[in-house]
Amino acid sequence: MEQQNHSKQLLLQLNQQRAKGYLCDVIIVVENALFRAHKNVLAASSVYFKSLVPHDNLINLDTEMVSPSIFRQVLDFIYTGRLSSSDSVSDHSISSLLIAASYLQLTELAALCRRKLKCNGQTPSSSNKMTPSSSTSPTPNGHTPGPLHLSSTPLRATPIHNHQHHNNHSGSKKGSQRNQRRGQEGRLREDLPEKEVYISGSRCASLSPSGEGRSNGLGLDLSKRSPSGSTTTEEVSPSSLLQSSSPHSSSLSPTPTPPTTSSAKPEPSKTSTDLQPRAPRKRPRGDKVTTPELEDGEVDGEENGLDQSEGSGQSGRGGGGGGGGGKGSRNGNTNYIYRQPQPGFEPGVGDNLYVCIPCGKGFPSSEQLNAHVDTHTHDQLYLKDEEEEEEEEEEEGGGYLKGKDPDAFPDDSASQGVKPDAEEPGHLCTICSKSCKDSTSLRQHEKSHWLNRPFPCNICGKLFTQRGTMTRHMRSHLGLKPFACEECGMRFTRQYRLAEHMRVHSGEKPYECQLCGGKFTQQRNLLSHMRMHTSPS
DNA sequence: CTGGGGACGGGGCCC
DNA sequence: TGGGCCCCGTCCCCA
């Protein structure tokens, strides 16, 4: 008894799920493109991926070996067993595919490419050298062919994973985990001197003597190995991910510990705990870590971005209220905006969390949305913008909150609802009457009233009002923690946090309760404490 | 079990 | 663009 087409149907389902991002548990970064996929499928197709996916949820591929467009074909092949129409596949493309297939140790695809080249009368030249069955000649990039190096030790390209994520699996919260983390952090700190790594330049200058890991000083291991094991420099610019190219965003591998050493005993750190009034909490707060384990359009935990702040009335700033979404910018990825669920789709069920601004259609994944957005021509977008602007002009200010792309605001903002500076001597916000010192501050302030969030996270799709916030958010995905405590090695994403943390070691408690005299190291804890005083109970 | 305190992560916003 | 600060939320420890 055998179910006909079972495997075919299974693959079909998987591919459909991939298209929707459903149950995808790994993200592959290729240059500036992100691909979501299923670990099982990748592992079943490629020895290379098989070695990586157990450890990493985010995998960065060498862009000299595979381009986004090529990888898309590769992924399609993995999920369908087919290559796209041969008409559209040039020999050059096939060669590129062959290189990629060899790099990724997709032997079947490599063989297919070779056959295709042969049929076309091409001799798989350099790329052929990289095929599983052929020579060990280095790739144009200096890589050694992957398939020839099926080391028992999984060799990493540039796995991007959050070590917090790994740590949080541990059942025992104390003791060993603390030590483990402490050791890891201690090692991180030791790596700090070797930080000749340039983000934008995508170059790692130094290699630790052991060669097992390079740190960029941000707590990240920049060591990058091709599947074959040849260590290469970081090829993927962090700006690919962050787009805004934060200087700290260079490294893509937050894990400081290569697989071969991940289980190694952490070096005991100095008796830093002894210095502390109370040992800093060592439990990685990974419970809510934003690992890229995205599923089905999932954005992370407290998602629903808009309502989180706008609705909370935090600090009374989010005023402005109403107004639905807005148009995204027309450049790059920012032409979509995550906005409030609209009538007709339920985030919890349909997961159409990614909404195309021009047409309002919802999609379960950013990929689908991006693909859809591509169907809008710039002309369409501009045309619609102009139409809406005309409508807004007729609406007399009511359309101000429609949420334009702030970056798209022309300098003469009069037509956008922001009165010219000349008309607002005190630079008053037209929404809350806040007085700003200059037009720049006013503009920035007024952005806080907009309901659109022009800066999407490339990894989880979450949207932000400010680029800086988005960049900061990306650090959490990438595990970028540039600021290390010299006492205990603990690392932070923000300098302010480090300064705050240092008070744990110094014992300084600058925040005093005026009611009971209680002192606190953190202001937020004082505020929390004050609420205890003021709460009715 | 519960409440308070310690510590930390993340986002918003202003400078 | 990044730093600094604020707020919210959370987890853990401990009395």
Side-chain angles (χ1 to χ4, degrees):
Chain A
M1 290 172 57
E2 181 180 349
Q3 170 67 40
Q4 294 295 316
N5 292 331
H6 174 73
S7 55
K8 188 178 178 182
Q9 287 300 319
L10 188 64
L11 209 51
L12 192 63
Q13 283 294 318
L14 286 169
N15 197 33
Q16 288 175 356
Q17 291 182 8
R18 174 175 70 100
K20 296 176 181 174
Y22 184 64
L23 294 180
C24 287
D25 49 9
V26 63
I27 292 178
I28 300 99
V29 182
V30 187
E31 205 170 341
N32 59 352
L34 301 176
F35 299 88
R36 284 198 278 186
H38 302 94
K39 288 183 175 183
N40 280 339
V41 175
L42 297 186
S45 309
S46 151
V47 175
Y48 170 53
F49 281 127
K50 189 176 182 179
S51 72
L52 290 181
V53 295
H55 313 284
D56 305 300
N57 302 318
L58 202 54
I59 296 171
N60 182 40
L61 298 184
D62 187 338
T63 53
E64 289 190 16
M65 306 301 286
V66 56
S67 68
S69 62
I70 291 298
F71 186 70
R72 178 169 293 281
Q73 295 179 57
V74 167
L75 210 48
D76 285 342
F77 175 82
I78 288 175
Y79 275 84
T80 65
R82 293 194 303 267
L83 283 176
S84 51
S85 164
S86 55
D87 294 341
S88 62
V89 181
S90 65
D91 286 340
H92 178 265
S93 177
I94 293 290
S95 294
S96 299
L97 266 173
L98 179 52
I99 291 174
S102 300
Y103 168 62
L104 300 172
Q105 301 179 30
L106 291 154
T107 53
E108 291 182 358
L109 176 58
L112 192 63
C113 290
R114 283 198 305 275
R115 284 200 298 272
K116 178 71 181 170
L117 285 174
K118 206 169 182 177
C119 286
N120 292 358
Q122 295 278 322
T123 304
S125 53
S126 60
S127 54
N128 198 25
K129 296 175 184 172
M130 303 173 7
T131 58
S133 56
S134 54
S135 81
T136 60
S137 302
T139 71
N141 194 24
H143 297 251
T144 309
L148 299 173
H149 295 261
L150 303 183
S151 164
S152 58
T153 303
L155 295 170
R156 303 193 162 196
T158 308
I160 306 169
H161 64 184
N162 197 325
H163 59 274
Q164 295 170 321
H165 173 71
H166 291 287
N167 286 344
N168 70 14
H169 294 311
S170 170
S172 82
K173 307 273 198 245
K174 306 177 195 172
S176 63
Q177 191 178 52
R178 284 192 179 189
N179 293 336
Q180 185 178 4
R181 173 158 170 165
R182 177 166 300 282
Q184 188 178 55
E185 287 166 350
R187 204 181 64 74
L188 281 171
R189 194 180 32 190
E190 291 164 12
D191 283 344
L192 286 178
E194 306 179 39
K195 63 171 88 169
E196 291 301 315
V197 177
Y198 294 91
I199 307 331
S200 344
S202 305
R203 285 286 170 256
C204 305
S206 69
L207 181 64
S208 66
S210 66
E212 70 176 27
R214 285 171 295 184
S215 167
N216 64 350
L218 307 182
L220 298 168
D221 179 6
L222 284 182
S223 68
K224 175 174 182 178
R225 294 165 187 269
S226 72
S228 61
S230 60
T231 303
T232 71
T233 53
E234 180 58 72
E235 300 295 345
V236 176
S237 163
S239 60
S240 305
L241 275 176
L242 299 193
Q243 288 195 340
S244 57
S245 71
S246 157
H248 296 305
S249 60
S250 69
S251 72
L252 295 170
S253 174
T255 174
T257 315
T260 50
T261 59
S262 61
S263 59
K265 224 174 205 171
E267 304 170 16
S269 90
K270 301 185 291 192
T271 57
S272 54
T273 48
D274 300 338
L275 305 172
Q276 309 161 14
R278 173 177 176 168
R281 206 164 108 222
K282 286 303 154 192
R283 179 190 65 81
R285 316 188 67 81
D287 320 7
K288 220 180 73 170
V289 159
T290 52
T291 62
E293 291 185 277
L294 306 176
E295 293 184 3
D296 196 17
E298 172 188 349
V299 268
D300 71 38
E302 335 164 283
E303 217 19 56
N304 297 331
L306 291 178
D307 52 22
Q308 183 182 349
S309 60
E310 263 77 12
S312 65
Q314 183 183 24
S315 307
R317 284 168 185 161
K327 298 181 286 287
S329 70
R330 306 176 191 94
N331 47 2
N333 289 339
T334 58
N335 49 4
Y336 59 90
I337 281 178
Y338 179 89
R339 59 180 179 188
Q340 287 283 35
Q342 300 181 344
F345 85 86
E346 308 163 62
V349 179
D351 287 332
N352 294 325
L353 295 171
Y354 299 83
V355 178
C356 172
I357 295 308
C359 72
K361 280 185 183 174
F363 297 87
S365 71
S366 59
E367 284 91 342
Q368 285 180 283
L369 174 57
N370 281 332
H372 163 80
V373 164
D374 288 341
T375 66
H376 291 288
T377 66
H378 282 199
D379 288 344
Q380 286 176 319
L381 292 170
Y382 277 103
L383 186 60
K384 187 161 185 182
D385 283 356
E386 288 168 6
E387 288 171 358
E388 293 188 11
E389 282 169 11
E390 289 173 7
E391 290 172 10
E392 289 170 16
E393 286 174 5
E394 295 172 5
E395 286 179 10
E396 265 199 7
Y400 174 67
L401 289 178
K402 289 215 170 173
K404 299 202 169 286
D405 173 14
D407 291 334
F409 265 47
D411 287 337
D412 58 271
S413 48
S415 64
Q416 308 294 335
V418 180
K419 295 182 178 178
D421 297 339
E423 297 180 21
E424 294 287 344
H427 302 289
L428 293 178
C429 171
T430 55
I431 303 302
C432 68
S433 299
K434 175 184 168 61
S435 176
C436 299
K437 66 180 177 72
D438 56 31
S439 58
T440 303
S441 299
L442 175 61
R443 178 170 299 181
Q444 187 172 37
H445 164 79
E446 286 182 323
K447 285 180 185 177
S448 66
H449 292 305
W450 300 343
L451 290 185
N452 73 343
R453 291 158 183 268
F455 305 104
C457 168
N458 271 352
I459 293 177
C460 70
K462 191 166 186 174
L463 294 156
F464 298 87
T465 54
Q466 295 189 12
R467 191 185 303 276
T469 305
M470 184 273 291
T471 302
R472 191 178 62 189
H473 163 84
M474 289 288 282
R475 284 189 199 165
S476 68
H477 279 308
L478 301 176
L480 290 165
K481 295 187 174 184
F483 308 102
C485 170
E486 293 189 352
E487 294 287 338
C488 67
M490 193 156 182
R491 307 186 72 91
F492 300 87
T493 54
R494 313 178 196 178
Q495 193 171 30
Y496 174 70
R497 297 293 198 216
L498 173 58
E500 187 181 63
H501 163 83
M502 290 311 290
R503 289 199 286 266
V504 171
H505 297 300
S506 69
E508 183 189 4
K509 294 188 174 182
Y511 303 102
E512 183 172 356
C513 173
Q514 298 301 312
L515 294 177
C516 70
K519 294 184 175 179
F520 303 87
T521 56
Q522 296 183 10
Q523 188 182 31
R524 40 190 164 168
N525 288 336
L526 171 59
L527 293 175
S528 172
H529 168 82
M530 293 304 290
R531 278 195 285 272
M532 185 263 295
H533 279 308
T534 56
S535 68
S537 59

